[in-house]
Amino acid sequence: IALIGVPLDIGTSNRPGARFGPRGIRAESVLVRPYGMATGAAPFDSFQIADVGDVPLNTFNLAESIEIIEAHYDAIVATGAKTVSMGGDHTITLPILRALHKVHGPMALVHVDAHADINDEMFGERITHGTIFRRAIEEGLIDPNRMTQIGLRATGYSAADFDWSRDQGVRVDTAEDCWNKSLEPLMAEVRERIGDAPLYLSFDIDGLDPSVAPGTGTPEPAGLTASQGLEIIRGVYGKNLIGADLVEVAPQYDASGNTALLAANLLFEMLSSFPG
Ligand code: MN
Ligand code: MN
């Protein structure tokens, strides 16, 4: 499994700073130990895991950076490695999915986020951190009938903002659907949707509540708890997980370091959820 940093933040619409995500997560990851005490997982015993550094982006050019990311992942995937990515803003997921699709075909997707990221455009731009999943579905990278979005909430640009997903066949579970309950029953249903398709897990840290993850660019109140985040990631264990990302961590908005620390722990749980 290749652990890859993608320090891109020129696809953001509000506060920048996710370019500092990989270095912040790496710094706080010193507190992550080798064994998961709840799951019994020992990913560093089970797999060869290497931090292969950051993708060398062009910080002046989003379109070129998208091409650089795809080519970088093409080369890594060609080795047979699975990928776990540290963002970077959510734009990075589109070129990653393009690279993985060449090997795996249409994928199932579990998408954790406060936002649907299915705008057709933002300020006239077709590729931004808020448009990627519309592009991914249009390009056939994702099978919408095997896709679930969890944690969507807050305010939108129109009352119908989440409906395009539903119209494509995507399952949408808003934050309100998740409040005050365990997500284990939800994940049992999500697992049915995934079936045995190759699965990608895309986790935007702003899916979680700003009280536990304030270090991000587009925070929204009343999100998921940290333990619900763990339930989602643990809920895909046993599925054909072929890649995952953790995006939108902007550590400088959280002087405590806790957002990056939580991100490092979520990444450990992702490593623990790959099939053995
Ligand atoms: Mn997002
Ligand atoms: Mn988001």
Side-chain angles (χ1 to χ4, degrees), residues 35-41 110 183-184 187-188 191 199 201 203 226-239 241 265-266 268-274:
Y35 299 99
M37 301 310 291
T39 61
V110 173
L183 297 190
E184 281 186 18
M187 291 310 295
R191 291 169 64 83
L199 171 67
L201 171 61
F203 199 119
S227 51
Q228 287 176 323
L230 296 182
E231 287 176 326
I232 293 168
I233 299 172
R234 291 175 184 172
V236 303
Y237 177 70
K239 292 285 142 184
L241 185 66
N265 278 272
L266 294 172
F268 178 84
E269 295 291 335
M270 289 177 181
L271 294 171
S272 301
S273 281
F274 277 85

Side-chain angles (χ1 to χ4, degrees), residues 85-274:
S85 306
M86 299 179 279
D89 74 56
H90 220 153
T91 318
I92 71 168
T93 303
L94 181 62
I96 293 170
L97 291 174
R98 285 174 173 166
L100 296 181
H101 178 263
K102 291 171 204 164
V103 174
H104 297 287
M107 289 163 273
L109 179 72
V110 173
H111 170 212
V112 182
D113 208 319
H115 313 97
D117 294 350
I118 50 146
N119 295 298
D120 191 32
E121 57 178 45
M122 297 182 84
F123 315 121
E125 298 293 330
R126 308 254 312 153
I127 295 182
T128 76
H129 75 156
T131 62
I132 46 164
F133 292 114
R134 184 174 294 223
R135 297 289 95 77
I137 290 172
E138 287 173 348
E139 295 177 20
L141 311 178
I142 296 299
D143 178 354
N145 293 304
R146 296 187 185 277
M147 173 173 172
T148 306
Q149 299 183 293
I150 307 171
L152 278 53
R153 64 183 183 275
T155 52
Y157 296 105
S158 85
D161 265 11
F162 302 156
D163 291 347
W164 187 86
S165 288
R166 296 184 175 106
D167 291 345
Q168 310 309 307
V170 175
R171 174 176 174 147
V172 176
D173 292 275
T174 66
E176 285 81 355
D177 293 330
C178 301
W179 281 354
N180 308 314
K181 63 175 86 157
S182 166
L183 297 190
E184 281 186 18
L186 164 66
M187 291 310 295
E189 295 178 14
V190 170
R191 291 169 64 83
E192 291 287 315
R193 268 180 87 76
I194 296 166
D196 56 8
L199 171 67
Y200 191 84
L201 171 61
S202 188
F203 199 119
D204 184 329
I205 196 77
D206 71 31
L208 304 185
D209 191 78
S211 62
V212 294
T216 192
T218 319
E220 309 286 358
L224 306 180
T225 66
S227 51
Q228 287 176 323
L230 296 182
E231 287 176 326
I232 293 168
I233 299 172
R234 291 175 184 172
V236 303
Y237 177 70
K239 292 285 142 184
N240 182 19
L241 185 66
I242 52 94
D245 63 49
L246 194 289
V247 299
E248 300 282 358
V249 175
Q252 69 276 20
Y253 301 114
D254 179 1
S256 74
N258 285 345
T259 306
L261 175 62
L262 175 57
N265 278 272
L266 294 172
L267 285 158
F268 178 84
E269 295 291 335
M270 289 177 181
L271 294 171
S272 301
S273 281
F274 277 85

